[in-house]
Amino acid sequence: SQQGEEDPQALSIQEGENATMNCSYKTSINNLQWYRQNSGRGLVHLILIRSNEREKHSGRLRVTLDTSKKSSSLLITASRAADTASYFCATDVRGANSKLTFGKGITLSVRP
Amino acid sequence: DTAVSQTPKYLVTQMGNDKSIKCEQNLGHDTMYWYKQDSKKFLKIMFSYNNKELIINETVPNRFSPKSPDKAHLNLHINSLELGDSAVYFCASSQDRREGYETQYFGPGTRLLVL
């Protein structure tokens, strides 16, 4: 069964606005990772947050993790047209053989 | 140099054929993966190898057989291709499975179309 579920499924914003994407999961995790996929390309790792962390930053990205609610959010500030892509959360489940379980992804469109 | 490369990039073939997809990583990583991404972009792990040893084998038809000749290579052979095998197949690698080394690096994907 699917572990991560992102919402919204699609998001369209204007360049310069912030984009917030959410991910919920079902079981205890070691870490949660966010990946980006540009159209026709492979996935690129953005950021990893561990189960004992609550917030992490990387450039214009901010990720939060709430293990009590089993949810995470990815915030992209001051979005650019180049941020247009699909974004996936992936959970590394505690006790498993360190495999990532991906959600269905969020399609982000940033209008110039 | 491409970190994780896959060949071929596109593969169009007839139902019933046997085909192989190759993956190579030049990152010196110990762990490699195969994923399948369907038309709805849902990405699911199929196999994982660590140091040439199979460690993850999800519920995948036994028509799919991975092979890791060395740490840097992980190939995927598919027998008797079916229409439902049409998808994008991604190879990925990570340094190993220890905490702190879990980030995965993906190849560009192989787009398989079975007619």
Side-chain angles (χ1 to χ4, degrees):
Chain A
S1 65
Q2 213 167 307
Q3 167 75 323
E5 298 254 359
E6 296 99 336
D7 86 271
Q9 289 194 322
L11 183 60
S12 180
I13 59 174
Q14 200 74 35
E15 206 165 27
E17 292 179 341
N18 295 341
T20 299
M21 292 168 267
N22 302 301
C23 170
S24 59
Y25 57 92
K26 295 172 185 167
T27 60
S28 294
I29 60 172
N30 285 327
N31 65 69
L32 185 144
Q33 304 180 34
W34 284 91
Y35 286 78
R36 183 186 75 227
Q37 184 179 32
N38 289 87
S39 182
R41 301 287 197 91
L43 281 75
V44 174
H45 180 260
L46 295 176
I47 199 162
L48 180 154
I49 187 164
R50 300 199 181 283
S51 59
N52 61 353
E53 297 175 312
R54 291 297 164 256
E55 189 171 313
K56 271 187 103 165
H57 296 255
S58 175
R60 293 184 296 114
L61 305 180
R62 174 179 165 250
V63 167
T64 61
L65 180 65
D66 187 334
T67 52
S68 66
K69 293 181 180 175
K70 291 188 169 60
S71 68
S72 171
S73 68
L74 171 67
L75 169 67
I76 304 175
T77 59
S79 64
R80 304 167 182 167
D83 294 328
T84 294
S86 293
Y87 291 81
F88 293 85
C89 73
T91 50
D92 189 348
V93 176
R94 198 180 293 279
N97 225 333
S98 190
K99 68 176 184 183
L100 289 182
T101 303
F102 284 82
K104 288 183 180 176
I106 298 169
T107 301
L108 173 66
S109 299
V110 182
R111 303 185 302 274
Chain B
D1 277 347
T2 306
V4 182
S5 59
Q6 295 178 229
T7 53
K9 193 170 181 182
Y10 298 96
L11 187 52
V12 182
T13 188
Q14 298 287 331
M15 234 171 34
N17 283 351
D18 304 338
K19 290 292 178 188
S20 291
I21 308 171
K22 298 189 177 205
C23 177
E24 177 181 1
Q25 53 95 2
N26 63 6
L27 298 167
H29 288 171
D30 283 352
T31 310
M32 295 183 73
Y33 311 81
W34 276 112
Y35 289 89
K36 178 181 179 181
Q37 187 174 44
D38 64 23
S39 58
K40 295 182 179 177
K41 290 193 176 176
F42 182 48
L43 194 70
K44 191 167 174 11
I45 190 164
M46 301 172 71
F47 301 103
S48 176
Y49 272 74
N50 187 67
N51 257 318
K52 301 197 296 173
E53 180 191 348
L54 181 66
I55 55 169
I56 294 173
N57 185 351
E58 292 294 284
T59 309
V60 175
N62 57 15
R63 298 181 296 103
F64 290 79
S65 51
K67 193 164 281 187
S68 181
D70 55 59
K71 272 185 2 175
H73 296 85
L74 180 61
N75 304 323
L76 184 65
H77 187 76
I78 315 170
N79 287 328
S80 304
L81 278 154
E82 299 177 357
L83 295 177
D85 298 331
S86 296
V88 183
Y89 292 84
F90 286 100
C91 177
S93 72
S94 62
Q95 189 159 349
D96 56 45
R97 296 177 295 151
R98 290 173 297 156
E99 187 171 318
Y101 300 96
E102 313 95 323
T103 297
Q104 294 189 19
Y105 296 81
F106 282 76
T110 295
R111 282 140 193 85
L112 171 65
L113 178 60
V114 182
L115 302 174

